[in-house]
Amino acid sequence: MNLSQCSRCSDITLPFVEGLHHVNVNPKSDLMVSRSTRRTRSHRGCKNGIKCGHLMPGHLEGSFVGKKQVEERPTKLEFVRTLLIDNYDSYTYNIYQELSVINGVPPVVIRNDSWTWKDIYHYLYEENAFDNIVISPGPGSPTCPADIGVCLQLLLECRDIPILGVCLGHQALGYVHGAKVVHASQPVHGRLSEIEHSGSRLFNDIPSGRNSGFKVVRYHSLVLDAQTLPEELVPIAWTTSSDALSFSEDNVVSPDAYAKTREGYSTLFSNIRNENSWPFSQSEDIRSRKVLMGIMHSTWPHYGVQFHPESVATCHGRQIFKNFRQITEDYWLRSRSAFFRRRYAHFTARIQVPHANHISGQVRLTNTTSVEINGDNLLQEVTRSRRPVYDLDKRNCLGMSNLGTSPATIDVKLLKLRWRRLEGLAAKLGGAKNMFCELFSDDMAENTFWLDSSSIEKGRARFSFMGGKGGPLWKQLTFRLTDRSDTAHCGGYLSIEDAHGHASSTYLEKGFFDFLNKELLSFHCEEKDFEGLPFEFYGGFVGYIGYNLKVECGAATNRHKSTAPDACFLFADNLVVVDHLNDDVYLMSIHDRNTPSTTWLDNIEEKLLTLRTAPTDEPKNKNKGSTTISPREAGFCAEKSKELYMEDVRKCLKYIKDGESYELCFTTQIRKKVEEMDPLKLYLHLRESNPAPYAAWLNFAKENLHICCSSPERFLRLDRNGILEAKPIKGTIARGVTKEEDEQRKLQLQYSEKDQAENLMIVDLLRNDLGRVCEPGSVYVPHLMDVESYATVHTMVSTIRGKKQSDVSAVDCVRAAFPGGSMTGAPKLRSMELLDSLESCSRGIYSGSIGFFSINQTFDLNIVIRTVVIHDNEASIGAGGAIVALSNPEDEYEEMNLKTRAPVKAVMDIQNAENLVIPLPLPSLTGDR
């Protein structure tokens, strides 16, 4: 969909009066109050507290005044410094990205429990490090201290600093002044509303009212009770009706259409400036049908909006942040303080709080003294200084791996890549399937991999990579978290087996991602070795990351331990690549630079040229009609009965209603013993019946572990140009039997309000995750809510891209976004915690990622769905769905079953085929364990 209609700025000029903060200060006043003296009373427990009058626009009082200054008044701040308080939300870094562009420098992000009020006082009033504050959205309620942290005290104490609260921050602003926080008439998450506003400065150059084009995205279950607003809080925005809207391309009307409504709105708001009461107070019926969407303090520079201006689908969201910057500039410039001449020379170095990590939101306070910067080189220095710092000592596992790792501390491995291209041979050799079976299927295809783009139509995928054990650099990594795995204890045991069968084991205190990061950073290969290759994988690690590694990415704990390893990777030094577009075959071999060899290339080329050819039978979407076989009929046992699954869905809905989550991706597992099954035959059948662009086969023989994956979903990709791409799927419907029914089902999905809400929430979440590691302003959504069709289902897919920061590694990018938001819900951390309490077993490999990490710091990872995992002769299939406020428990159960159909049918087909050859006792079909 084209997002250009939801413009983040507007050329429309509103006729409404401005908000109450637009008051001129007497330009002849000789009383100049510096921002360093803006406290109204001394800080309790803080030395050298300052007693001074409260400074607000148009009003100066108190006995402490600055020395008379006569100097030219600044006209504009070169940049605005924001302290962004993160309430453990999954959309905070969307705000971060917006503010980075608008303010001229990135904000400093801290969690709501990272600093005490004493710490905040120090940086605001003694260091003068910030110009304004933004309080993020978040789960829970401002009435719960654990949910809101230091924000309530900040809203009361910082009456002389511009503050903008978003969603939870908006509710906190109301609550701290006495307004009640209540349940909304209905939870609204990932849905839109049209907004009317009062003409407050926060909404300058933004239209207002029904059909004006001002539609916003809402994520909330709680609201401020407008009837309980105190006199000092002024309502400045509200919905045009109580009904939320679904996402639509026709979001915005033309300026001409808006202009026709200006006279009516001007009359409606003619008296709003002087009223500190709820608009439409004369009509109880009208008031009951509208939801309060914005407030401001009548005398303090504090604002709040209930909706999410940072959402990709909110129109004019960027303009709101621009307006807040302008409010901030006007507020401070009106003081005409000499401070604004001094701030560039004395205070700019302090824009970067020591050890403030803008990726993780975690701050470690030290006594480090800031180094002053020459004002002439300000922007250059600010950009250079804002490198994320990860606190390895405290080991919070909230952020990234140690970006400060010195190359001197890593043993560099000098590698040489050799490759050959066999032009136009793929089809002649029988396609990818025939090549894999002929080259790598001996000995039950032990220790082999196949990243298989078995669905290449419509350009979804182009390359397949395959290989096995053989080269001198080959090794297998097997990692298991300790029994006690949580944020503070995310270490585990790593087993390494080399090409000669020698094995060793070590304990990784800092976790698997830290180890993998150092391994990848140690590889060095000359760029000229890669010239001419059209793909990103030149050799490196191939394998999977299990869902439980979420504890290395900020999750609080793992309630359930996985029976399979938490991560398994093969180091592929020899591999075959199939270019499905050009029909070429590439042979790749990497080795130590000091021991060059072409033996493997010679041998594999000879094998291919003498290969027994077979008819090319690359998979196609043959089975358009959906299969109706149930897991129970196929002999699978479910972790949860239908009744228990639906009851847990209702619990999810209760959490959502109470504001604990916007969306919960609830899952379960089904299992079946398969002692006699040939796993490779199962995978070959699965790729034939359900081809997918991110399919994969992995065989870890020592672990008795086989993975047969037919995933249609990309988790995250990093290419050689530093572009990150995520392609989350949210929204699934079975395909129809006839062409007409199939098209009808596709349209049904496209315009489903529930599925649109699901998808939008995860898009905003992935924008946030990429925003943690991407250059400011680089994250964008080229495709929103496209529908893609596969063998058995239609799915709703979006694409998010961004430019990686130069000082962030490939593993850092994965840690910022893992697990994929489409498998957790939002806010991610709170949602994972809730899901752990509801789900009865570990997800294991399901919901994790399969793919590669290349020696040149690129990677491509899928989301492990539509997958059969065979471990210790038991097949398991995970499935589930996103629970949102619009979910129906019965429908959610049916959707979960739908997603198991293709892998369940593949297992049943292979067992039936093998039973025809070797009679075996029929499995029990009772579904009982």
Side-chain angles (χ1 to χ4, degrees):
M1 292 183 176
N2 186 353
L3 296 184
S4 61
Q5 294 177 357
C6 276
S7 172
R8 290 191 178 273
C9 61
S10 173
D11 296 328
I12 300 170
T13 302
L14 287 172
F16 308 140
V17 298
E18 292 186 342
L20 293 176
H21 289 307
H22 190 56
V23 182
N24 290 327
V25 176
N26 181 0
K28 297 182 179 180
S29 173
D30 290 332
L31 299 179
M32 303 301 169
V33 182
S34 170
R35 281 172 54 197
S36 63
T37 63
R38 59 193 175 193
R39 292 292 299 121
T40 61
R41 53 187 177 276
S42 61
H43 164 60
R44 292 182 296 273
C46 183
K47 295 181 180 180
N48 302 322
I50 300 171
K51 294 183 179 180
C52 68
H54 168 57
L55 171 64
M56 70 179 187
H59 183 63
L60 293 174
E61 63 183 18
S63 59
F64 188 95
V65 295
K67 181 181 178 181
K68 179 178 178 180
Q69 302 287 337
V70 180
E71 56 182 293
E72 182 182 355
R73 175 178 176 179
T75 58
K76 184 176 176 60
L77 302 185
E78 186 175 359
F79 56 86
V80 170
R81 307 164 301 171
T82 297
L83 176 63
L84 177 54
I85 311 291
D86 175 25
N87 288 304
Y88 288 83
D89 196 52
S90 288
Y91 300 148
T92 300
Y93 280 87
N94 295 333
I95 298 176
Y96 171 89
Q97 285 276 323
E98 291 291 318
L99 294 177
S100 296
V101 173
I102 292 166
N103 287 351
V105 290
V108 170
V109 185
I110 64 167
R111 290 274 168 80
N112 64 18
D113 54 0
S114 296
W115 288 359
T116 64
W117 166 243
K118 183 177 180 180
D119 301 325
I120 291 177
Y121 180 93
H122 170 75
Y123 283 109
L124 287 176
Y125 294 101
E126 295 176 358
E127 296 288 338
N128 293 284
F130 303 103
D131 301 311
N132 64 23
I133 300 168
V134 175
I135 301 176
S136 86
S141 167
T143 64
C144 176
D147 293 338
I148 200 64
V150 75
C151 296
L152 297 183
Q153 186 172 6
L154 184 150
L155 284 163
L156 282 176
E157 300 283 354
C158 300
R159 62 188 63 181
D160 50 0
I161 298 177
I163 299 177
L164 174 64
V166 179
C167 199
L168 182 66
H170 157 88
Q171 295 169 11
L173 175 59
Y175 175 72
V176 81
H177 289 287
K180 291 183 179 179
V181 179
V182 297
H183 282 95
S185 59
Q186 60 172 333
V188 180
H189 297 108
R191 300 164 71 194
L192 285 75
S193 290
E194 293 181 306
I195 299 298
E196 300 176 24
H197 62 76
S198 66
S200 162
R201 296 193 66 204
L202 192 64
F203 299 110
N204 273 358
D205 294 326
I206 297 176
S208 175
R210 192 183 298 273
N211 298 324
S212 70
F214 186 21
K215 289 186 179 180
V216 302
V217 175
R218 297 164 58 188
Y219 296 111
H220 65 100
S221 301
L222 307 176
V223 293
L224 291 176
D225 183 354
Q227 303 302 311
T228 65
L229 284 183
E231 291 184 357
E232 61 265 30
L233 294 183
V234 182
I236 59 174
W238 46 92
T239 61
T240 59
S241 72
S242 61
D243 297 327
L245 308 171
S246 63
F247 180 85
S248 169
E249 287 189 333
D250 299 323
N251 270 333
V252 182
V253 299
S254 67
D256 290 340
Y258 165 70
K260 294 177 181 178
T261 68
R262 292 175 67 174
E263 182 178 355
Y265 285 125
S266 181
T267 301
L268 178 64
F269 296 117
S270 60
N271 297 317
I272 188 65
R273 177 173 178 168
N274 298 317
E275 290 187 8
N276 293 350
S277 60
W278 179 241
F280 309 111
S281 58
Q282 74 281 5
S283 172
E284 183 72 28
D285 178 61
I286 293 177
R287 185 172 66 244
S288 66
R289 290 188 284 109
K290 297 177 183 292
V291 182
L292 183 63
M293 286 286 116
I295 57 175
M296 72 178 187
H297 197 281
S298 61
T299 56
W300 304 353
H302 294 181
Y303 296 80
V305 290
Q306 178 64 76
F307 58 87
H308 284 241
E310 80 286 355
S311 172
V312 70
T314 289
C315 302
H316 307 288
R318 176 166 291 183
Q319 186 62 39
I320 292 174
F321 290 118
K322 287 181 178 179
N323 291 339
F324 184 58
R325 170 179 173 149
Q326 190 61 53
I327 289 169
T328 300
E329 288 184 333
D330 291 349
Y331 184 87
W332 293 120
L333 291 175
R334 273 197 294 267
S335 74
R336 297 187 59 201
S337 170
F339 168 80
F340 290 102
R341 296 292 294 265
R342 299 194 305 270
R343 75 195 291 267
Y344 298 101
H346 297 287
F347 298 126
T348 51
R350 295 173 181 136
I351 189 171
Q352 177 63 41
V353 177
H355 301 284
N357 183 350
H358 73 274
I359 291 180
S360 69
Q362 187 69 20
V363 172
R364 177 165 58 94
L365 296 175
T366 70
N367 293 323
T368 304
T369 302
S370 299
V371 179
E372 293 183 1
I373 314 169
N374 186 308
D376 295 335
N377 299 319
L378 171 66
L379 295 181
Q380 178 182 357
E381 290 295 333
V382 166
T383 301
R384 185 158 59 232
S385 68
R386 293 198 62 78
R387 294 185 177 179
V389 178
Y390 185 62
D391 184 0
L392 290 174
D393 296 328
K394 289 193 175 182
R395 197 54 199 170
N396 290 304
C397 298
L398 290 171
M400 325 312 298
S401 56
N402 184 9
L403 300 180
T405 300
S406 170
T409 65
I410 299 176
D411 294 329
V412 177
K413 302 179 179 68
L414 301 178
L415 302 177
K416 178 69 177 178
L417 171 66
R418 297 182 183 274
W419 57 273
R420 297 174 185 175
R421 179 166 70 109
L422 307 180
E423 191 172 353
L425 278 185
K428 295 178 182 178
L429 297 176
K433 173 184 173 181
N434 192 54
M435 280 185 275
F436 181 84
C437 291
E438 292 293 330
L439 295 176
F440 303 111
S441 64
D442 292 344
D443 299 321
M444 302 294 290
E446 290 186 356
N447 302 311
T448 58
F449 69 89
W450 183 4
L451 303 180
D452 177 18
S453 298
S454 57
S455 175
I456 60 174
E457 57 186 16
K458 298 182 179 180
R460 289 173 184 157
R462 176 177 171 182
F463 302 101
S464 292
F465 306 91
M466 59 183 72
K469 185 176 180 179
L473 299 181
W474 182 96
K475 59 184 174 182
Q476 178 178 327
L477 309 180
T478 306
F479 179 75
R480 286 182 169 85
L481 288 161
T482 59
D483 291 339
R484 182 186 181 187
S485 63
D486 53 38
T487 299
H489 305 86
C490 47
Y493 292 92
L494 177 70
S495 173
I496 302 178
E497 180 183 347
D498 64 19
H500 306 290
H502 300 146
S504 61
S505 182
T506 186
Y507 179 72
L508 301 179
E509 182 179 356
K510 298 177 181 178
F512 180 75
F513 279 124
D514 182 80
F515 171 85
L516 181 62
N517 190 51
K518 291 178 180 177
E519 281 284 296
L520 291 170
L521 291 174
S522 72
F523 299 136
H524 183 269
C525 201
E526 295 182 5
E527 288 190 14
K528 65 180 182 180
D529 292 353
F530 314 141
E531 291 178 0
L533 291 174
F535 44 84
E536 307 291 347
F537 185 37
Y538 309 142
F541 291 106
V542 180
Y544 73 84
I545 304 165
Y547 179 75
N548 276 7
L549 281 193
K550 67 182 189 291
V551 295
E552 293 192 27
C553 306
T557 187
N558 283 320
R559 183 176 181 182
H560 311 289
K561 184 172 177 59
S562 174
T563 57
D566 293 294
C568 261
F569 280 87
L570 305 173
F571 185 83
D573 53 356
N574 297 325
L575 64 150
V576 176
V577 185
V578 180
D579 182 345
H580 297 283
L581 178 63
N582 294 331
D583 202 37
D584 296 334
V585 178
Y586 292 82
L587 311 181
M588 313 281 292
S589 182
I590 54 177
H591 49 79
D592 189 289
R593 192 175 296 178
N594 298 322
T595 57
S597 174
T598 62
T599 303
W600 184 85
L601 291 174
D602 296 336
N603 292 341
I604 206 72
E605 181 177 6
E606 182 180 354
K607 283 185 179 182
L608 285 172
L609 294 177
T610 59
L611 195 65
R612 293 181 295 124
T613 59
T616 303
D617 57 350
E618 294 302 328
K620 299 179 181 178
N621 286 1
K622 299 177 181 178
N623 305 325
K624 182 180 290 187
S626 58
T627 308
T628 57
I629 186 170
S630 70
R632 184 182 179 89
E633 291 171 330
F636 280 85
C637 304
E639 284 288 337
K640 294 190 176 185
S641 66
K642 178 179 179 179
E643 293 73 21
L644 185 55
Y645 188 89
M646 291 172 61
E647 178 60 29
D648 285 340
V649 171
R650 283 187 279 270
K651 291 179 181 177
C652 290
L653 291 171
K654 178 65 165 56
Y655 285 132
I656 291 170
K657 180 181 179 182
D658 290 340
E660 296 296 322
S661 177
Y662 316 140
E663 175 175 0
L664 288 164
C665 298
F666 180 59
T667 74
T668 189
Q669 303 254 341
I670 57 175
R671 307 179 189 278
K672 180 178 183 178
K673 286 293 183 181
V674 288
E675 283 89 348
E676 304 298 328
M677 179 175 290
D678 183 337
L680 181 56
K681 285 184 178 179
L682 171 63
Y683 176 68
L684 295 175
H685 181 63
L686 182 63
R687 76 183 294 272
E688 176 70 23
S689 60
N690 192 52
Y694 310 109
W697 156 266
L698 294 173
N699 184 341
F700 301 98
K702 191 174 182 180
E703 303 298 328
N704 194 17
L705 175 62
H706 313 84
I707 303 173
C708 307
C709 176
S710 60
S711 173
E713 182 172 1
R714 167 175 281 156
F715 163 46
L716 199 59
R717 175 195 182 196
L718 175 65
D719 68 18
R720 70 186 82 180
N721 298 314
I723 301 300
L724 281 164
E725 179 183 90
K727 292 190 68 174
I729 289 177
K730 267 290 160 267
T732 304
I733 195 171
R735 299 199 65 169
V737 176
T738 65
K739 184 177 180 179
E740 292 75 15
E741 183 188 10
D742 193 54
E743 187 63 26
Q744 186 179 22
R745 293 274 184 94
K746 185 176 180 179
L747 291 173
Q748 181 181 341
L749 175 62
Q750 180 74 72
Y751 293 100
S752 164
E753 184 175 6
K754 171 185 174 293
D755 292 305
Q756 289 176 357
E758 285 184 26
N759 198 281
L760 180 58
M761 279 186 267
I762 300 307
V763 168
D764 279 340
L765 190 156
L766 265 296
R767 289 174 60 238
N768 173 87
D769 291 348
L770 266 62
R772 298 171 70 189
V773 292
C774 286
E775 294 289 348
S778 70
V779 178
Y780 69 107
V781 181
H783 304 286
L784 182 62
M785 301 183 196
D786 289 348
V787 173
E788 294 184 356
S789 301
Y790 294 90
T792 60
V793 296
H794 299 294
T795 61
M796 187 177 285
V797 186
S798 294
T799 304
I800 304 100
R801 295 188 185 126
K803 174 70 173 178
K804 180 184 75 69
Q805 296 176 32
S806 60
D807 54 1
V808 172
S809 73
V811 174
D812 293 331
C813 296
V814 174
R815 288 192 64 181
F818 187 83
S822 62
M823 302 307 296
T824 63
K828 183 185 283 188
L829 296 182
R830 180 69 62 88
S831 295
M832 288 191 293
E833 183 180 348
L834 297 174
L835 291 167
D836 253 13
S837 71
L838 292 172
E839 295 176 358
S840 57
C841 65
S842 170
R843 297 188 185 184
I845 299 168
Y846 170 67
S847 297
S849 293
I850 293 173
F852 69 77
F853 289 90
S854 180
I855 58 173
N856 66 323
Q857 289 274 314
T858 63
F859 63 83
D860 200 352
L861 300 168
N862 74 3
I863 295 286
V864 181
I865 55 176
R866 320 290 196 272
T867 298
V868 183
V869 176
I870 302 177
H871 184 225
D872 292 338
N873 300 318
E874 182 182 67
S876 63
I877 300 171
I883 312 302
V884 296
L886 297 174
S887 291
N888 174 277
E890 180 81 31
D891 292 343
E892 293 298 333
Y893 180 77
E894 293 304 321
E895 180 180 336
M896 181 273 294
N897 270 328
L898 168 64
K899 293 172 180 176
T900 68
R901 285 182 184 176
V904 163
K905 185 177 184 300
V907 171
M908 188 172 182
D909 288 346
I910 291 299
Q911 284 196 318
N912 289 340
E914 291 179 345
N915 289 342
L916 291 176
V917 179
I918 305 174
L920 294 172
L922 291 175
S924 170
L925 299 180
T926 62
D928 297 328
R929 303 192 89 171

